[in-house]
């Protein structure tokens, strides 16, 4: 199926791939760097990453609005790429200065908010014209994220091992640079798939105000990254604002579209719960792997950080398989069922780890890596069935005039879940001034992961029970 997509699909595919390569290069090492090199506690490092992640995705709705109302989708995408290059470069140049790291993270968050909505919007326009099966197309597109993720998580720790921290932080810059080069050379392929504003002259006054805002805002955003409690306040404000707009828009829809929007809203809530689980990968699951998992796969020694690559590895393996299954079953397996199955699999992924701890801990307080491999397998298939189809869900259920706004709201799910997942991850964080042995650590992780698995399993059961009701609504039965 990957070779049967419309031609414009491939440019969007590679823009996303290169951009994600840069982001996941940074994600794979930033938490460990803050703990090992900057000597922050796990609690402090997780809070910084949580604030950064929450703000980065919380502001995506603003990027969607700028694309819709001020610049146009493709111009906003271009501006986002430039900001990403600047942000990664600032961190690389000022690696030993925590305040400049905050500034760099702030500019990356801004770049992401400008870039992130645009590929999805352009892709939706592409599939409307070419009338392809959208679930299949978005599943293949999701591979781009994970190819970029897989390559970066494998390469960046290797660079760190051989050349040290400084050179390893050079790798993230390459992602948006390749994105920019690809866009400049091939953007004519997607010429007809932009928004109306892309084909009108830029309002110079608006552009000037926007550029000034982009220069000033990192100072304020960096302050929020330092203070997770302030981040909570601003994210809650964004959530409340979006919720009010969401309700207002639903009230003015006809009965059929109103019901479909309510279903979309329920699925967005379900996605928030899923992303709480997903965001444990770079935080609690990463620290657990470093401390309590054997650093080898089938006898081959690896850097513990590289275990994060299991997530994109399994997704790349199963993306074409699921895409084929979706094409075979067509509408028989609706997106409602896919979300419920995905949550069930994600719940199982967290129950696998306590089983491994209980059955297979060695005398050094380590468990074999195959338990982690199996956990990532279930987590990754679950991700494909929820996160991988979220954009497709919006394209199917949401009226055309609300798609861009709802896409921004979809990315807000990651922001909300970042705050909540950070609270959960911090339950498992160990203060830097406390000595604790590996068996005590295992007990903490055992109790925490089993609670995550059981609670998310209960939610998955409710999702499975409600599937037929929600499915009948979207099919207008």
């Amino acid at each position: 199926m990957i070779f049967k997509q419309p031609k414009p699909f491939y440019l969007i595919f590679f823009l996303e791939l290169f951009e994600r390569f840069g982001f996941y290069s940074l994600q794979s090492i930033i938490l460990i760097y803050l703990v090992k090199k900057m000597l922050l506690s796990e609690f402090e490092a997780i809070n910084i990453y949580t604030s950064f992640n929450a703000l980065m995705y919380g502001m995506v709705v603003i990027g969607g609005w700028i694309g819709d109302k001020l610049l146009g989708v493709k111009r906003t995408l271009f501006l986002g790429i430039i900001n990403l290059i600047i942000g990664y470069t600032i961190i690389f140049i000022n690696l030993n200065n925590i305040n400049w790291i905050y500034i760099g993270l702030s500019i990356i968050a801004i770049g992401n908010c400008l870039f992130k909505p645009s590929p999805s919007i352009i892709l939706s326009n592409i599939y409307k014209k070419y009338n392809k099966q959208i679930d299949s197309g978005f599943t293949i597109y999701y591979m781009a994220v994970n190819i970029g993720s897989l390559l970066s998580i494998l390469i960046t720790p290797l660079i760190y091992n051989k050349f040290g921290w400084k050179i390893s932080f050079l790798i993230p810059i390459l992602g948006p640079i390749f994105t920019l080069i690809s866009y400049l050379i091939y953007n004519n392929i997607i010429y007809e798939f932009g928004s109306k504003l892309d084909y009108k002259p830029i309002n110079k006054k608006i552009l000037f105000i926007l550029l000034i805002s982009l220069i000033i805002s990192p100072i304020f955003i960096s302050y929020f990254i330092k203070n997770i409690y302030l981040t909570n306040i601003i994210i809650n404000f964004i959530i409340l604002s979006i919720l009010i707009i969401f309700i207002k828009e639903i009230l003015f829809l006809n009965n059929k579209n109103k019901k479909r929007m309510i279903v979309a809203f329920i699925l967005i809530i379900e996605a928030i719960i899923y992303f709480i689980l997903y965001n444990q990968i770079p935080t609690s699951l990463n620290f657990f792997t470093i401390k309590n998992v054997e650093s080898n796969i089938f006898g081959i020694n690896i850097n513990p950080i590289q275990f994060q690559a299991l997530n994109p590895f399994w997704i790349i393996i199963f993306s074409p398989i699921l895409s084929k299954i979706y094409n075979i079953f067509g509408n028989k397996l609706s997106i409602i069922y896919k979300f419920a199955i995905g949550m069930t699999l994600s719940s199982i992924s967290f129950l696998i780890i306590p089983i491994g701890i209980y059955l297979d801990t060695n005398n050094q307080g380590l468990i074999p890596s195959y338990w982690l491999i199996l956990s990532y397998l279930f987590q990754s298939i679950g991700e494909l069935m929820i996160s991988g189809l979220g954009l497709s869900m919006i394209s199917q259920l949401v009226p055309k005039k609300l798609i861009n706004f709802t896409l921004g709201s979809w990315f807000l799910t990651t922001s909300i879940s970042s705050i909540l997942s950070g609270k959960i991850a911090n339950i498992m964080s160990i203060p830097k001034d406390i000595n604790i042995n590996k068996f005590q650590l295992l007990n903490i992780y055992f109790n925490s992961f089993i609670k995550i698995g059981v609670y998310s399993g209960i939610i998955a059961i409710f999702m499975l029970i409600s599937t037929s009701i929600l499915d009948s609504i979207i099919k207008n039965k």
Side-chain angles (χ1 to χ4, degrees):
M1 288 302 298
I2 192 170
F3 300 111
K4 297 181 181 179
Q5 304 303 318
K7 187 177 180 180
F9 166 89
Y10 297 102
L11 175 58
I12 302 302
F13 182 94
F14 282 104
L15 292 180
E16 186 75 20
L17 188 158
F18 292 136
E19 186 277 324
R20 290 289 86 184
F21 176 90
F23 174 75
Y24 283 106
S25 292
L26 179 75
Q27 179 184 276
S28 68
I29 55 175
I30 187 67
L31 271 168
I32 308 303
Y33 177 79
L34 292 174
V35 171
K36 289 189 174 182
K37 187 68 174 177
M38 302 303 289
L39 303 179
L40 301 182
S41 68
E42 287 181 24
F43 182 88
E44 292 169 321
I46 288 172
N47 278 348
I48 290 170
Y49 179 79
T50 295
S51 296
F52 162 65
N53 210 40
L55 289 166
M56 181 171 63
Y57 285 101
M59 295 190 300
V60 167
V61 69
I62 299 173
W65 180 79
I66 290 172
D68 280 346
K69 306 295 183 182
L70 301 181
L71 289 184
V73 170
K74 291 190 290 184
R75 290 169 180 160
T76 305
L77 180 147
F78 176 80
L79 194 58
I81 298 170
I82 299 300
N83 273 267
L84 290 170
I85 293 172
I86 294 171
Y88 291 127
T89 302
I90 284 176
I91 291 177
F92 169 70
I93 293 173
N94 303 279
L95 203 51
N96 294 319
N97 188 320
I98 190 66
N99 290 317
W100 277 106
I101 290 177
Y102 291 141
I103 293 291
L105 290 174
S106 301
I107 297 172
I108 292 167
I110 293 168
N112 184 82
C113 100
L114 294 169
F115 177 90
K116 199 64 182 172
S118 301
S120 305
I121 294 168
I122 295 169
L123 199 61
S124 296
N125 293 337
I126 290 169
Y127 280 107
K128 283 173 187 173
K129 176 177 178 178
Y130 286 92
N131 198 28
K132 296 279 184 179
Q133 290 204 34
I134 196 165
D135 274 8
S136 172
F138 270 99
T139 301
I140 295 297
Y141 168 68
Y142 201 65
M143 283 180 64
V145 174
N146 290 282
I147 293 172
S149 173
L150 176 65
L151 293 174
S152 62
I153 295 172
L154 289 176
I155 292 171
T156 309
L158 290 176
I159 297 297
Y160 160 66
N161 286 340
K162 191 168 183 63
F163 300 105
W165 287 115
K166 186 68 175 179
I167 301 301
S168 65
F169 275 92
L170 181 63
I171 305 302
I173 307 173
L174 300 179
I177 286 177
F178 287 137
T179 306
L180 179 63
I181 292 170
S182 301
Y183 181 77
L184 291 176
I185 294 174
Y186 296 109
N187 74 85
N188 61 302
I189 296 175
I190 56 170
Y191 176 80
E192 62 181 297
F193 299 108
S195 61
K196 291 181 180 178
L197 281 176
D198 282 308
Y199 308 103
K200 295 181 179 179
I202 298 176
N203 185 313
K204 293 182 180 179
K205 182 179 178 181
I206 289 175
L207 181 61
F208 176 76
I209 294 172
L210 184 59
L211 291 176
I212 294 297
S213 300
L214 290 176
I215 293 170
I216 296 173
S217 57
I219 299 171
F220 297 98
I221 295 171
S222 66
Y223 190 72
F224 285 107
I225 290 177
K226 297 177 194 177
N227 299 275
I228 193 167
Y229 301 108
L230 293 178
T231 301
N232 284 337
I233 292 171
I234 194 170
I235 294 301
N236 287 332
F237 174 76
I238 293 173
I239 292 167
L240 182 61
S241 302
I242 296 298
L243 188 60
I244 291 170
I245 297 171
F246 219 99
I247 294 170
K248 174 178 169 290
E249 294 291 351
I250 288 175
L251 291 175
F252 287 97
L253 294 172
N254 60 45
N255 193 48
K256 179 181 177 180
N257 282 331
K258 188 178 294 184
K259 289 179 178 178
R260 292 168 71 87
M261 275 291 284
I262 290 172
V263 172
F265 182 75
I266 291 171
L267 293 178
I268 287 173
I269 298 298
E270 292 176 357
I272 291 173
I273 298 168
Y274 163 75
F275 280 119
I276 292 172
L277 307 184
Y278 174 80
N279 282 325
Q280 298 307 310
I281 291 176
T283 53
S284 64
L285 196 57
N286 188 24
F287 283 118
F288 165 72
T289 303
I290 292 169
K291 297 169 185 173
N292 289 107
V293 177
E294 294 178 350
S295 298
N296 66 77
I297 296 180
F298 305 121
I300 302 172
N301 291 327
I302 66 168
N303 188 315
I305 299 172
Q306 291 177 301
F307 276 106
Q308 294 178 76
L310 287 167
N311 176 241
F313 170 79
W314 285 125
I315 284 177
I316 292 167
I317 296 296
F318 280 93
S319 287
I321 296 172
L322 285 180
S323 180
K324 188 71 173 177
I325 291 172
Y326 296 158
N327 283 334
I328 292 172
F329 284 94
N331 293 327
K332 292 179 183 178
L333 187 64
S334 77
I335 202 158
I336 310 292
Y337 288 96
K338 293 167 187 171
F339 265 53
I341 295 169
M343 182 64 76
T344 304
L345 294 173
S346 297
S347 171
I348 293 171
S349 76
F350 278 92
L351 294 173
I352 286 170
I353 294 174
I355 293 172
I357 293 173
Y358 182 77
L359 295 177
D360 214 2
T361 300
N362 66 19
N363 57 11
Q364 295 178 310
L366 304 174
I367 68 169
S369 61
Y370 51 74
W371 291 104
L372 195 67
I373 294 169
L374 188 60
S375 175
Y376 269 109
L377 170 62
F378 280 88
Q379 174 75 282
S380 301
I381 299 175
E383 179 183 346
L384 274 171
M385 302 189 83
I386 298 178
S387 180
L389 293 178
L391 304 177
S392 173
M393 176 270 291
I394 290 169
S395 297
Q396 293 177 55
L397 297 181
V398 175
K400 185 176 180 180
K401 67 175 184 176
L402 294 176
I403 281 183
N404 291 356
F405 166 75
T406 313
L407 281 172
S409 301
W410 169 257
F411 288 113
L412 187 62
T413 61
T414 302
S415 178
I416 300 167
S417 62
S418 290
I419 297 293
L420 299 174
S421 65
K423 294 179 184 298
I424 293 172
N426 270 327
I427 293 172
M428 293 173 264
S429 66
I430 310 300
K432 59 184 177 181
D433 56 345
I434 292 180
N435 292 321
I436 188 168
N437 65 48
K438 288 187 180 295
F439 291 97
Q440 291 171 313
L441 281 170
L442 276 177
N443 189 53
I444 293 171
Y445 286 119
F446 178 90
N447 291 326
S448 299
F449 286 140
I450 204 165
K451 286 177 183 177
I452 293 173
V454 169
Y455 292 149
S456 59
I458 293 170
I459 293 168
I461 290 170
F462 279 108
M463 288 172 63
L464 289 166
I465 292 171
S466 65
T467 49
S468 58
I469 298 171
L470 296 177
D471 200 40
S472 65
I473 292 174
I474 64 173
K475 291 178 179 176
N476 201 25
K477 293 181 180 178

